[in-house]
Amino acid sequence: MANLLYDALFATHANRQNNFILDPFSDTSLSYGSFVKQAAQFANVICDAGLAPGDRLIAQVGKSVSALALYAGAVQSGVVYLPLNTAYTTTEVEYFLQDSGARLLVCDTDSESGLTSSCKNQNTAVLTLSSDGKTGTLIDLVNDASDSFKTIDRSADDLAALLYTSGTTGRSKGAMLTQNNLLSNAQALHKLWQFDDKDVLLHALPIFHTHGLFVATHVCLLAGARLIFEPSFDTDRTLKLMPHATSFMGVPTFYTRLLDQKNFNSELARHMRLFISGSAPLLADTLNLFQQRTGHRILERYGMTETNMNTSNPYNGERRAGTVGLPLPGVEVKVTHLESGAELPTGEAGQLEVRGPNVFKGYWNMPEKTQEELRDSGFFITGDIAQIDADGYVHIVGREKDLIISGGYNIYPKEIELVLDDQPGVTESTVVGVPHPDFGETVVGVLVGKKDSINIKQIEAAVAESLARFKHPRKLIVVDSLPRNAMGKVQKNELREEYKQLFSDTQ
Ligand code: MLC
Ligand code: AMP
């Protein structure tokens, strides 16, 4: 047997001296060969920590080359990589620790103390890694570890990663991603988007999500391309670095922020060959404005944690504004009736379903939830409402799932409603997403209770205590009652309509 994912992404680069990571500011670089050696050191430390193939490793660490080498070491040692948003609070991380049964937690030096007791309770080892990837107990061990490691065999259907995507019921669900889920998708994108070893990807996405870790990094690894590996997205730095790059991937907020910069123009983008957008809807206006400003037409694609990428606008061919393009080779999409599941005729809007080698194995420890969303036929029910036009282009027209996407991050209202309902004086609450000029959508909490019995500041403090900053309602509104339909269901669309101007640019 072999380790398909490791062999394709990393082993192929062993001993190669060509550049992998570039830093144009300091004019330094790291070769592929050196990176592969670093990964082996991390793999040795992971095994020395007692992890066996299939064990889970939680990484809640800043974006650094060491963090990427930790991921590569996890793949090489056959453990299941479980990345977490660095914004998650201790309370949120404790859930993931317990649900995943992780054997090792790698966290930032600053957050170790808050997690030590939970880790001790469930016999999870803890190692630290500083946000710049240069220090911590993990690095101390890596520095003493051998830079060669016998790669652990893993089959195509073995788990490679476990990524949590919050659930409408409030409990995050772990999406089980196999070696083949990840490799087949990376191979399809590598070919479709024509990446090669002359490319330099300006990588400003976090690597604790699908977009930054699997779409951006895997495609470059397969192509032998170079990465300008930014710790996070910073508009000014992006403008300075762009002349050194050939390609860029981002969420729509990256693009609207670039367009807000008057000095962002075709001159700065003259070396670029490809801009890709995803994770949230890209407005047709943004796409057209970007093309007018730079001469480049952004290529929009659509994916999910459970399926990696499903559709993409073509590299050569019409990049149709307001659509997420055509199904990837090997991927099938169909639109079905919300209740009956029957396939709908072309052009009709309904539930978007996806089938292919990219579709995950199921939700960790949630067989019923898996059964609900993954049909016996292999089609996965995405929760997105779409219509497919006569040319086969997929238009995402809405969401059946109760989801807010803010700056590319998924936020599930239920998780926030549970906290708000718990607050003194609140008899009930509901959370909706409303348009936001920068983040696309943002969170509004609507509370029912007696005005004088609700303390907004205290509620904001309670929310901050248990939920990551990006989930915090940007506005809390107290009302006498919530709009309900005849069945008693809260009419969130009425509230979205009522508050849609709350953050409008034209205020
Ligand atoms: C940061 N903040 C956010 C936020 N990001 N609040 C809401 N939504 C977000 N997305 C908080 C900050 O902590 C800060 O809090 C305040 O909002 C202002 O932050 P900012 O300085 O404006 O944010 P910034 O740090 O610049 O980050 C914004 C961003 C970042 C867009 C660069 O959110 C980002 O990198 N998003 C990418 C997410 C991503 O990779 N999605 C892919 C999911 S995978 P305070 O305390 O200072 O007020 C997927 C599948 C697929 O969806 O198809 O790809
Ligand atoms: P996540 O679960 O974090 O991977 O988010 C996946 C969800 O993001 C999808 O189900 C869609 O709702 C949304 N999404 C991703 N890409 C796009 C896109 N290009 N256009 C609209 N929505 C998108």
Side-chain angles (χ1 to χ4, degrees):
M1 209 162 55
N3 184 322
L4 289 172
L5 190 65
Y6 177 79
D7 296 345
L9 294 179
F10 304 105
T12 182
H13 299 299
N15 307 315
R16 286 180 60 191
Q17 291 319 305
N18 54 324
N19 288 333
F20 175 38
I21 306 282
L22 298 180
D23 181 349
F25 287 141
S26 62
D27 199 17
T28 54
S29 60
L30 177 75
S31 72
Y32 265 99
S34 306
F35 179 78
V36 169
K37 284 201 169 90
Q38 266 188 45
Q41 290 177 290
F42 281 84
N44 276 306
V45 171
I46 291 166
C47 284
D48 295 349
L51 274 75
D55 283 348
R56 275 74 62 206
L57 184 163
I58 289 184
Q60 189 189 28
V61 291
K63 180 181 174 187
S64 64
V65 175
S66 297
L68 195 58
L70 172 65
Y71 166 62
V75 175
Q76 187 173 19
S77 56
V79 307
V80 180
Y81 190 71
L82 198 172
L84 291 182
N85 189 324
T86 45
Y88 286 146
T89 63
T90 305
T91 314
E92 289 164 313
V93 176
E94 281 167 350
Y95 167 76
F96 299 118
L97 272 167
Q98 173 272 325
D99 188 70
S100 67
R103 293 291 315 283
L104 173 61
L105 166 72
V106 179
C107 63
D108 195 291
T109 332
D110 306 340
S111 43
E112 181 189 17
S113 55
L115 292 162
T116 307
S117 58
S118 317
C119 291
K120 207 171 281 168
N121 295 345
Q122 64 172 54
N123 191 24
T124 303
V126 185
L127 291 172
T128 61
L129 180 64
S130 60
S131 54
D132 65 1
K134 294 188 164 55
T135 58
T137 53
L138 174 63
I139 295 300
D140 299 338
L141 294 174
V142 162
N143 289 341
D144 294 340
S146 158
D147 64 8
S148 69
F149 178 85
K150 186 173 177 344
T151 302
I152 304 288
D153 285 341
R154 293 294 276 172
S155 76
D157 200 39
D158 278 335
L159 293 192
L162 188 61
L163 267 68
Y164 279 82
T165 176
S166 303
T168 40
T169 57
R171 277 185 66 230
S172 276
K173 306 171 292 189
M176 297 191 284
L177 300 165
T178 68
Q179 289 234 336
N180 193 46
N181 286 154
L182 300 181
L183 185 55
S184 65
N185 208 244
Q187 287 166 333
L189 298 175
H190 167 216
K191 197 154 167 277
L192 184 69
W193 294 341
Q194 301 190 14
F195 273 81
D196 63 23
D197 59 8
K198 288 182 287 307
D199 266 299
V200 178
L201 178 76
L202 180 39
H203 189 312
L205 290 156
I207 53 172
F208 46 69
H209 274 308
T210 298
H211 197 159
L213 185 59
F214 302 140
V215 180
T217 313
H218 282 182
V219 166
C220 287
L221 286 162
L222 286 183
R226 286 153 291 169
L227 286 180
I228 296 174
F229 207 55
E230 282 288 276
S232 64
F233 175 75
D234 174 281
T235 313
D236 294 339
R237 283 175 63 98
T238 299
L239 295 180
K240 290 195 180 78
L241 290 164
M242 196 166 281
H244 300 273
T246 64
S247 40
F248 180 71
M249 294 185 196
V251 297
T253 302
F254 288 17
Y255 290 106
T256 51
R257 288 190 180 183
L258 287 171
L259 285 170
D260 286 345
Q261 303 302 313
K262 294 286 163 280
N263 60 337
F264 176 54
N265 54 32
S266 54
E267 179 53 25
L268 262 175
R270 70 185 183 287
H271 291 294
M272 298 295 285
R273 74 173 180 90
L274 184 59
F275 290 92
I276 299 174
S277 177
S279 306
L282 179 74
L283 299 182
D285 285 356
T286 306
L287 183 141
N288 292 325
L289 195 57
F290 194 89
Q291 183 164 18
Q292 285 156 27
R293 182 83 74 82
T294 67
H296 287 277
R297 194 163 176 82
I298 296 169
L299 182 155
E300 184 170 12
R301 79 338 168 250
Y302 155 74
M304 300 177 73
T305 300
E306 292 92 335
T307 63
N308 270 257
M309 299 304 106
N310 300 316
T311 70
S312 170
N313 272 277
Y315 186 76
N316 295 313
E318 186 197 354
R319 297 177 187 174
R320 193 166 290 185
T323 84
V324 292
L326 307 159
L328 296 187
V331 174
E332 296 167 86
V333 293
K334 65 177 180 179
V335 172
T336 60
H337 188 277
L338 281 176
E339 270 80 47
S340 70
E343 186 158 5
L344 294 176
T346 301
E348 268 195 46
Q351 176 80 250
L352 183 63
E353 298 190 22
V354 170
R355 178 166 67 182
N358 57 317
V359 174
F360 75 149
K361 202 169 191 174
Y363 293 115
W364 176 262
N365 282 347
M366 292 186 180
E368 331 72 55
K369 198 79 193 123
T370 302
Q371 189 67 34
E372 262 172 54
E373 298 188 17
L374 196 49
R375 297 188 192 282
D376 296 345
S377 63
F379 272 98
F380 172 67
I381 300 169
T382 65
D384 291 309
I385 306 299
Q387 58 103 350
I388 301 175
D389 67 27
D391 300 320
Y393 281 77
V394 177
H395 304 238
I396 306 278
V397 296
R399 286 176 214 131
E400 188 213 5
K401 54 195 168 186
D402 195 6
L403 164 70
I404 299 164
I405 305 185
S406 167
Y409 287 150
N410 275 10
I411 298 163
Y412 284 79
K414 190 69 191 162
E415 206 180 351
I416 304 162
E417 288 159 357
L418 290 171
V419 176
L420 295 176
D421 289 346
D422 243 2
Q423 300 313 308
V426 175
T427 47
E428 68 171 323
S429 74
T430 192
V431 165
V432 293
V434 298
H436 187 279
D438 182 25
F439 289 124
E441 287 182 290
T442 194
V443 183
V444 170
V446 186
L447 310 171
V448 177
K450 293 187 201 53
K451 267 211 181 355
D452 50 4
S453 64
I454 287 187
N455 177 333
I456 295 288
K457 285 267 167 279
Q458 182 271 327
I459 292 175
E460 285 171 345
V463 168
E465 179 64 29
S466 54
L467 295 176
R469 171 70 179 127
F470 70 90
K471 298 177 187 174
H472 298 177
R474 290 307 193 264
K475 184 90 181 152
L476 285 171
I477 300 163
V478 183
V479 296
D480 296 334
S481 64
L482 295 174
R484 293 182 187 286
N485 64 10
M487 316 274 281
K489 197 171 177 320
V490 174
Q491 297 300 280
K492 290 202 170 190
N493 50 348
E494 282 184 32
L495 292 169
R496 279 190 279 268
E497 184 58 29
E498 184 174 352
Y499 299 121
K500 68 181 181 184
Q501 294 296 335
L502 219 48
F503 296 90
S504 99
D505 243 354
T506 52
Q507 247 167 351

